[in-house]
Amino acid sequence: MFFNLVILVALFLVDFAPASCEVGAFIYNGFQSGNLSLDGIAKLTSNDLLLLTDSKTKDQGHAFYPNPIHFKNSPNGTAFSFSTTFVFSIRSDYRSMSGHGLVFIIAPQRGLQGAMPNHYLGLFNSTNNGNRSNHVVGVELDTTFTEEFGDINENHVGIDINGLKSVAVHTAGYFDDTGLFHNLTLASGQTMQVWVDYDGSTKQIKVTIAPLHVGKTVRSLLAMKYDLSPILDQNMYVGFSSSTDPVPTHHYILGWSFKINGKAQELSQLPRLGRREESRFLTITLTLISLVLLVVAILSGSLCKKEEEVWLSSTRLKIGQAQAQLR
């Protein structure tokens, strides 16, 4: 009888154990499982990619791991260490413009109430940006310049606490083993990987970014001391946010790994991105400019027949090269 009582008590305690305690790590090598909480225009593609925003709609998209993560043992406790890594690609329809970037976020809830697109990156709005009550931590990959938020340029990586005015920021790039800095263009369409590491004992946050084929470098791009304990609640949600206005842009996540109190698992066998879509606008513009120049040259009589043929051949070649670069 005593033995049966012990079993009943044990089952009772198991039933009332917090479910979030069971979630300390996860990995997505592609998103074929569909086990994500999506809103806005975020969706999963047929080739297992997470697409936060596309090039058809000027709006915002969010994707969260569906279960809360246990970040502290008590409301006033010390935040645990955590590690995450993800692979992304930002592809704009226009080479020289994109908008607005994406953010890895830790937030109290999956739904970001009142969040605005545009330069607010689907995170905040004009009334709550910077509020201490937000309890949001983010690492932004920002591809537009916003003077309001103190941005340093239109291509930077920043650590955000409760708002979009970064507490640490650096032009996008990485340091090689010799200490030489290499610039990266976030919206180039190149596949890149990000690592975010927080040490709960030293209160150190580190952010590293590099092309996928380079791997994690010894020296991080951003490193700062900041105690996240007052910012993080006991249970938080982790995910991504992105917005596109004014320039329609594809924001892809190819893989994602996360772990509390340990190193995030390495990503492998990631899905492939399709070929870059050609920008009809740029192609038509190049063709029209070439035709106008040709008409002007012929009417002015400045080109002989042979020179016209050479010029036409050169123009066609340049148009072909421009189209090839857009693919």
Side-chain angles (χ1 to χ4, degrees), residues 101-114:
L102 64 91
V103 192
F104 164 74
I105 51 174
I106 306 174
Q109 63 278 325
R110 288 176 299 192
L112 300 174
Q113 298 297 323

Side-chain angles (χ1 to χ4, degrees), residues 142-158:
D142 198 336
T143 55
T144 60
F145 172 76
T146 305
E147 186 177 2
E148 176 186 351
F149 303 146
D151 287 351
I152 57 172
N153 55 33
E154 73 289 347
N155 182 59
H156 60 271
V157 179

Side-chain angles (χ1 to χ4, degrees), residues 62-64 103-107 112 123 136-139 237-241:
H62 305 111
F64 284 91
V103 192
F104 164 74
I105 51 174
I106 306 174
L112 300 174
L123 280 181
V136 172
V137 177
V139 174
Y237 289 89
V238 293
F240 300 94
S241 178

Side-chain angles (χ1 to χ4, degrees), residues 234-308:
Q234 262 189 279
N235 297 306
M236 303 285 284
Y237 289 89
V238 293
F240 300 94
S241 178
S242 180
S243 64
T244 59
D245 192 63
V247 182
T249 306
H250 288 85
H251 292 90
Y252 292 102
I253 305 293
L254 286 73
W256 179 27
S257 177
F258 182 93
K259 184 173 178 59
I260 286 286
N261 288 327
K263 180 183 177 183
Q265 193 173 340
E266 295 294 333
L267 301 171
S268 63
Q269 299 180 333
L270 297 175
R272 290 182 174 273
L273 287 166
R275 295 181 64 183
R276 187 182 185 90
E277 294 182 0
E278 181 177 321
S279 170
R280 293 182 179 179
F281 175 80
L282 289 181
T283 304
I284 293 172
T285 301
L286 287 170
T287 304
L288 287 176
I289 291 174
S290 300
L291 288 174
V292 170
L293 290 174
L294 175 59
V295 171
V296 171
I298 292 174
L299 291 178
S300 65
S302 62
L303 295 175
C304 66
K305 185 175 182 180
K306 185 174 181 179
E307 289 173 335
E308 289 177 13

